[in-house]
PDB file of all heavy atoms in Angstrom:
ATOM      1  N   ALA A  78     115.714 159.125  79.400  1.00 98.00           N
ATOM      2  CA  ALA A  78     115.544 158.895  80.866  1.00 98.00           C
ATOM      3  C   ALA A  78     114.129 158.206  80.927  1.00 98.00           C
ATOM      4  O   ALA A  78     113.316 158.215  80.029  1.00 98.00           O
ATOM      5  CB  ALA A  78     115.506 160.163  81.569  1.00 98.00           C
ATOM      6  N   GLN A 100      96.062 169.158 107.426  1.00 98.00           N
ATOM      7  CA  GLN A 100      95.423 169.166 108.795  1.00 98.00           C
ATOM      8  C   GLN A 100      96.457 169.282 109.906  1.00 98.00           C
ATOM      9  O   GLN A 100      96.158 169.631 110.959  1.00 98.00           O
ATOM     10  CB  GLN A 100      94.616 167.846 108.853  1.00 98.00           C
ATOM     11  CG  GLN A 100      93.350 167.846 107.964  1.00 98.00           C
ATOM     12  CD  GLN A 100      92.620 166.521 108.013  1.00 98.00           C
ATOM     13  OE1 GLN A 100      93.098 165.568 108.505  1.00 98.00           O
ATOM     14  NE2 GLN A 100      91.498 166.524 107.263  1.00 98.00           N
ATOM     15  N   GLY A 121     117.374 178.015  96.696  1.00 98.00           N
ATOM     16  CA  GLY A 121     117.678 176.584  96.204  1.00 98.00           C
ATOM     17  C   GLY A 121     117.569 176.550  94.684  1.00 98.00           C
ATOM     18  O   GLY A 121     118.436 175.799  94.203  1.00 98.00           O
ATOM     19  N   THR A 226     111.908 168.144  85.714  1.00 98.00           N
ATOM     20  CA  THR A 226     112.215 169.270  86.628  1.00 98.00           C
ATOM     21  C   THR A 226     111.222 169.506  87.673  1.00 98.00           C
ATOM     22  O   THR A 226     111.576 170.097  88.702  1.00 98.00           O
ATOM     23  CB  THR A 226     112.445 170.468  85.637  1.00 98.00           C
ATOM     24  OG1 THR A 226     111.270 170.704  84.883  1.00 98.00           O
ATOM     25  CG2 THR A 226     113.684 170.503  84.939  1.00 98.00           C
ATOM     26  N   ALA A 282      85.131 167.345  85.378  1.00 98.00           N
ATOM     27  CA  ALA A 282      85.441 166.393  86.413  1.00 98.00           C
ATOM     28  C   ALA A 282      85.413 167.215  87.768  1.00 98.00           C
ATOM     29  O   ALA A 282      84.930 166.746  88.781  1.00 98.00           O
ATOM     30  CB  ALA A 282      86.799 165.838  86.296  1.00 98.00           C
ATOM     31  N   LYS A 297      95.430 182.522  70.235  1.00 98.00           N
ATOM     32  CA  LYS A 297      95.745 182.884  68.855  1.00 98.00           C
ATOM     33  C   LYS A 297      95.917 184.345  68.889  1.00 98.00           C
ATOM     34  O   LYS A 297      95.145 185.123  68.285  1.00 98.00           O
ATOM     35  CB  LYS A 297      94.540 182.436  68.007  1.00 98.00           C
ATOM     36  CG  LYS A 297      95.015 182.374  66.515  1.00 98.00           C
ATOM     37  CD  LYS A 297      95.978 181.081  66.233  1.00 98.00           C
ATOM     38  CE  LYS A 297      96.371 181.122  64.722  1.00 98.00           C
ATOM     39  NZ  LYS A 297      97.207 180.018  64.416  1.00 98.00           N
ATOM     40  N   ALA A 384      98.062 174.355  54.315  1.00 98.00           N
ATOM     41  CA  ALA A 384      98.128 175.618  53.794  1.00 98.00           C
ATOM     42  C   ALA A 384      98.769 175.656  52.347  1.00 98.00           C
ATOM     43  O   ALA A 384      98.233 176.341  51.466  1.00 98.00           O
ATOM     44  CB  ALA A 384      99.016 176.577  54.755  1.00 98.00           C
ATOM     45  N   ARG A 402     123.967 169.273  63.341  1.00 97.00           N
ATOM     46  CA  ARG A 402     125.102 168.398  63.727  1.00 97.00           C
ATOM     47  C   ARG A 402     124.808 167.006  63.622  1.00 97.00           C
ATOM     48  O   ARG A 402     125.681 166.131  63.188  1.00 97.00           O
ATOM     49  CB  ARG A 402     125.579 168.823  65.103  1.00 97.00           C
ATOM     50  CG  ARG A 402     125.860 170.185  65.324  1.00 97.00           C
ATOM     51  CD  ARG A 402     126.770 170.460  66.528  1.00 97.00           C
ATOM     52  NE  ARG A 402     126.787 171.857  66.845  1.00 97.00           N
ATOM     53  CZ  ARG A 402     127.552 172.473  67.633  1.00 97.00           C
ATOM     54  NH1 ARG A 402     128.565 171.741  68.231  1.00 97.00           N
ATOM     55  NH2 ARG A 402     127.499 173.750  67.810  1.00 97.00           N
TER      56      ARG A 402
END
Side-chain angles (χ1 to χ4, degrees):
Q100 290 171 353
T226 50
K297 195 73 187 181
R402 300 198 197 197

